[in-house]
Amino acid sequence: MADRAEQAVASPDRIEGVLLGAAAGDALGAGYEFGCAPFPTDGRARMIGGGLGPFAPGEWTDDTAMTVAIAEGLVADGRRADRGVDLAAIGAHFLDWFRADPPDVGNATRAVLAAARDGADLARAARHHLDGHPRGGAGNGALMRTAPVALYHLGVEAAMAETARAVAALTHADPLAGDACVLWCVGIDRAVREDRLDGVRDGLAWIPEERRERWAGWLAEAEAGPPERFRPNGFTVPALQAAWAACLHTVADEAAPDRQLEVALHRAVGIGDDTDTVAAIAGALLGGRWGAAAIPAEWRAMLHGWPGLDADGLASLARTVAGVAEA
Ligand SMILES: [Mg+2]
């Protein structure tokens, strides 16, 4: 199968980097979310914990927890599920997480998962929520967790775009939320397989024509920067712009280019507002480009979170989703 051949050439380190980068951004931004703690004057975020819940230093929040839920839903019997994407399995993992009463659930996600707790169809509940909250279906809560979809479909864009939209729509019914997930997944694919951060633009090919020009304009705004322009960023468009601008406008040290991951994540958190989510989004792309090896050892040692995983467990899950053998 074409997709298996493509995956064979993708580096396991970059595949692991996608989920570890997202988790690192999440845990780094958690304490500063919506101004809970002041951003350090030296411009370097710390994994201080706290924020919107009693999070421990290094603990990831809803962004990575829901990312893990999607990844788990793409795995069956300890292996990548090769029979295709089971949306019901992903929804069941969302509900498992929600039943654990997490302290920080986004508004749309909370409304939809609460409605679906009794077995209602998630996507239908999401559409119902959109009817009553016209802007509520375009929050950044789908984009923040989309990375495993890219890993599952590396090199197979049509399927990647279809799954990205379908998984977004489990909680976020606005088409803009799905669009953002498509763009980011294609960007992650390019980062992992082609060593570049600018592949988000390639995703425009999978945006319906009636919205493509608007998205091209939004991407151009991010390219013009600066990243700090994109706040508030609870809506999926400025969240994507903030994350991408942080990646594009952070210059790497020529002597140590992979330090760009670390520097860009500090910048992403420093934008403010929904700090952990913007940094989680950025981290998935940066981790795909620079690999797990670019995650500072101190961060890697601290990372942990629902459902009882540490960095090694998350790395292993990333490889399983992508269908890559243990290192
Ligand atoms: Mg969060």
Side-chain angles (χ1 to χ4, degrees):
M1 263 162 56
D3 58 332
R4 309 301 292 167
E6 293 283 357
Q7 282 159 19
V9 302
S11 133
D13 184 60
R14 297 224 192 110
I15 285 166
E16 293 179 4
V18 172
L19 296 196
L20 287 174
D26 182 1
L28 197 64
Y32 308 97
E33 191 170 9
F34 303 119
C36 283
F39 187 67
T41 51
D42 65 2
R44 294 175 60 81
R46 317 285 199 278
M47 289 187 180
I48 56 174
L52 294 190
F55 292 105
E59 184 174 7
W60 59 67
T61 75
D62 57 332
D63 310 75
T64 309
M66 295 196 85
T67 297
V68 168
I70 292 172
E72 299 273 15
L74 295 168
V75 170
D77 302 323
R79 301 184 48 185
R80 169 195 154 85
D82 275 326
R83 288 196 179 167
V85 175
D86 181 351
L87 292 172
I90 293 171
H93 285 285
F94 283 172
L95 288 167
D96 278 350
W97 165 73
F98 190 61
R99 281 189 206 101
D101 202 18
D104 63 332
V105 187
N107 294 335
T109 298
R110 180 182 295 283
V112 172
L113 294 185
R117 221 196 290 243
D118 304 323
D121 177 274
L122 273 187
R124 186 182 307 158
R127 287 193 299 275
H128 180 73
H129 179 72
L130 183 65
D131 289 341
H133 305 79
R135 289 293 292 268
N140 61 22
L143 175 59
M144 72 183 193
R145 65 181 195 220
T146 198
V149 174
L151 293 182
Y152 186 78
H153 290 298
L154 278 176
V156 194
E157 283 182 19
M160 185 184 296
E162 184 185 339
T163 302
R165 281 189 195 289
V167 173
L170 290 176
T171 51
H172 291 67
D174 191 304
L176 290 177
D179 290 347
C181 292
V182 171
L183 292 170
W184 211 249
C185 281
V186 173
I188 291 170
D189 176 82
R190 297 300 190 271
V192 169
R193 297 190 309 116
E194 298 179 8
D195 304 347
R196 59 192 178 95
L197 287 173
D198 63 358
V200 175
R201 240 182 204 285
D202 297 14
L204 286 172
W206 300 95
I207 301 299
E209 212 176 317
E210 66 267 25
R211 293 191 301 278
R212 196 176 299 149
E213 205 168 309
R214 278 167 82 200
W215 272 108
W218 287 328
L219 295 184
E221 286 174 4
E223 288 155 7
E228 292 72 22
R229 173 181 169 193
F230 302 107
R231 58 176 295 181
N233 40 48
F235 175 46
T236 199
V237 174
L240 183 147
Q241 290 175 305
W244 204 35
C247 297
L248 294 178
H249 293 273
T250 305
V251 180
D253 178 347
E254 273 180 35
D258 66 344
R259 281 207 64 225
Q260 191 201 3
L261 179 145
E262 185 184 343
V263 177
L265 288 184
H266 289 302
R267 184 98 186 253
V269 175
I271 293 169
D273 201 45
D274 202 349
T275 48
D276 58 331
T277 294
V278 168
I281 296 164
L285 187 68
L286 292 158
R289 170 66 184 88
W290 297 111
I295 312 265
E298 184 195 350
W299 292 357
R300 183 168 177 137
M302 292 176 76
L303 282 177
H304 68 285
W306 185 91
L309 288 180
D310 60 8
D312 289 346
L314 195 58
S316 174
L317 182 60
R319 284 196 307 271
T320 303
V321 169
V324 173
E326 290 286 322

